[in-house]
Amino acid sequence: MNVVNDRDGSSRFLLTDPSGSTAEVLLYGGQVVSWRNERREQLLYMSTKAQWKPPKAIRGGLPLCFPQFGNLGPLERHGFARNRFWSFDNDPSPLPPANQQSTVDLVLKSTEDDLRIWPHSFELRVRISISPGKLTIIPRVRNTDPKSFSFTFALRNYLYVSDISEVRIEGLETLDYLDNLMRRERFTEQADAITFDGEVDRVYLNTPTKIAIIDHERKRTIELRKEGMPNAVVWNPWEKKAKSIADMGDEDYTTMLCVDSGAMETPIVLKPHEEWKGRQELSIVSSSYCSGQLDPRKVLYGDH
């Protein structure tokens, strides 16, 4: 792990693995802003108009939404963790050591300013690791307050895709979802895969641990595996909405897709001294592996 000190005094961490893949992590927001495979191909979307200066959140990469997702509460949209400076965590126990992985542990603790807008004392930790073809994030929230509190949480995954109209998501079929474009009305997914020809903003409920994002043009599938986060958000703003977002390029929607891991339908409640832990792995697999019944190994031997 290399530490790079930027001109403005902030730090970022460069994680590398022996295969040549890399990830860049900022102390600002505790945010992954780049993940490249061994061929140096960028796997995460970053807005062409991203604001890199506090107090703006950085649109792209992998922001953490805490202690509130979206506008489901009194705080600023997606909470405040994504526009605070985090610290290097010298004591990430009780996590086991990350074997043979390039890893950084960061921590955000509540400040007096935070307690004024959200009166609960907490510690939010995140471990970010890369290994060949895989990016792993382990978030943990500890209640250091004398009273219980509840929060919603999401890992927002801005994925870089070749062409949004050629992408499909498998693993969410037949599930119920809340449609944010229809005042959070509840629907059931009818399609055998999610494809895109307009704006989509949905919170899928009771989702499986594995979701596949299939990028036909790149012959690449990003597999999302998650634990402790029962919801998945699927979001693309499409043309009209993209033009209304100040820190997003007008055409950016064609090469980006958010598929988020989260717990936002039912808030997580923590008693004093309790800790919540989640886990997310993004991995790159060949497309044939995930495309449902088209994979002969899956038909013959069942799901691996």
Side-chain angles (χ1 to χ4, degrees), residues 226-267:
K226 58 190 181 58
E227 297 164 20
M229 294 177 279
N231 305 133
V233 178
V234 176
W235 179 63
N236 181 286
W238 216 252
E239 188 173 11
K240 187 179 171 191
K241 182 75 168 284
K243 285 179 177 168
S244 73
I245 299 173
D247 60 348
M248 185 180 237
D250 288 355
E251 300 299 319
D252 282 16
Y253 76 93
T254 61
T255 55
M256 63 76 68
L257 173 62
C258 280
V259 183
D260 309 338
S261 304
M264 59 282 285
E265 183 209 7
T266 304

Side-chain angles (χ1 to χ4, degrees), residues 91-104:
D91 182 26
S93 59
L95 279 184
N99 298 331
Q100 304 301 310
Q101 292 185 325
S102 183
T103 294
V104 62

Side-chain angles (χ1 to χ4, degrees), residues 54-75:
K56 294 286 187 185
I58 300 168
R59 186 172 296 281
L62 220 157
L64 291 97
C65 306
F66 172 88
Q68 174 184 304
F69 178 78
N71 52 11
L72 301 175
L75 300 176

Side-chain angles (χ1 to χ4, degrees), residues 76-125:
E76 63 188 285
R77 188 173 181 80
H78 294 320
F80 51 75
R82 64 188 187 142
N83 51 18
R84 295 288 187 271
F85 279 97
W86 293 48
S87 305
F88 185 68
D89 190 359
N90 292 310
D91 182 26
S93 59
L95 279 184
N99 298 331
Q100 304 301 310
Q101 292 185 325
S102 183
T103 294
V104 62
D105 288 284
L106 302 178
V107 61
L108 180 72
K109 298 181 183 182
S110 44
T111 64
E112 284 185 18
D113 288 345
D114 296 333
L115 289 167
R116 282 192 200 104
I117 59 169
W118 196 65
H120 309 289
S121 181
F122 68 88
E123 292 176 358
L124 168 57
R125 288 182 156 78

Side-chain angles (χ1 to χ4, degrees), residues 9-188:
S10 61
S11 295
R12 55 196 164 101
F13 302 91
L14 185 64
L15 306 180
T16 55
D17 80 45
S19 75
S21 63
T22 61
E24 259 184 73
V25 185
L26 301 187
L27 275 183
Y28 183 57
Q31 188 165 334
V32 180
V33 291
S34 170
W35 175 37
R36 294 179 183 272
N37 64 14
E38 68 282 357
R39 295 194 296 278
R40 307 291 299 143
E41 295 168 328
Q42 182 60 256
L43 303 167
L44 300 179
Y45 156 84
M46 180 58 66
S47 171
T48 53
K49 291 185 178 177
Q51 309 265 335
W52 292 82
K53 287 197 171 78
K56 294 286 187 185
I58 300 168
R59 186 172 296 281
L62 220 157
L64 291 97
C65 306
F66 172 88
Q68 174 184 304
F69 178 78
N71 52 11
L72 301 175
L75 300 176
E76 63 188 285
R77 188 173 181 80
H78 294 320
F80 51 75
R82 64 188 187 142
N83 51 18
R84 295 288 187 271
F85 279 97
W86 293 48
S87 305
F88 185 68
D89 190 359
N90 292 310
D91 182 26
S93 59
L95 279 184
N99 298 331
Q100 304 301 310
Q101 292 185 325
S102 183
T103 294
V104 62
D105 288 284
L106 302 178
V107 61
L108 180 72
K109 298 181 183 182
S110 44
T111 64
E112 284 185 18
D113 288 345
D114 296 333
L115 289 167
R116 282 192 200 104
I117 59 169
W118 196 65
H120 309 289
S121 181
F122 68 88
E123 292 176 358
L124 168 57
R125 288 182 156 78
V126 64
R127 167 172 285 184
I128 300 160
S129 310
I130 62 166
S131 51
K134 187 179 289 184
L135 172 69
T136 304
I137 297 190
I138 301 174
R140 292 179 294 152
V141 177
R142 179 175 290 281
N143 182 350
T144 55
D145 205 79
K147 294 181 182 160
S148 295
F149 64 70
S150 66
F151 64 93
T152 50
F153 183 89
L155 292 174
R156 171 130 271 199
N157 299 306
Y158 280 99
L159 305 176
Y160 181 54
V161 296
S162 54
D163 178 355
I164 187 62
S165 56
E166 297 291 323
V167 171
R168 57 192 276 137
I169 300 174
E170 295 186 0
L172 300 174
E173 48 277 6
T174 75
L175 298 183
D176 283 3
Y177 64 87
L178 307 176
D179 193 333
N180 287 325
L181 304 180
M182 305 278 286
R183 298 182 183 177
R184 294 179 59 78
E185 199 177 326
R186 188 168 177 145
F187 296 93
T188 301

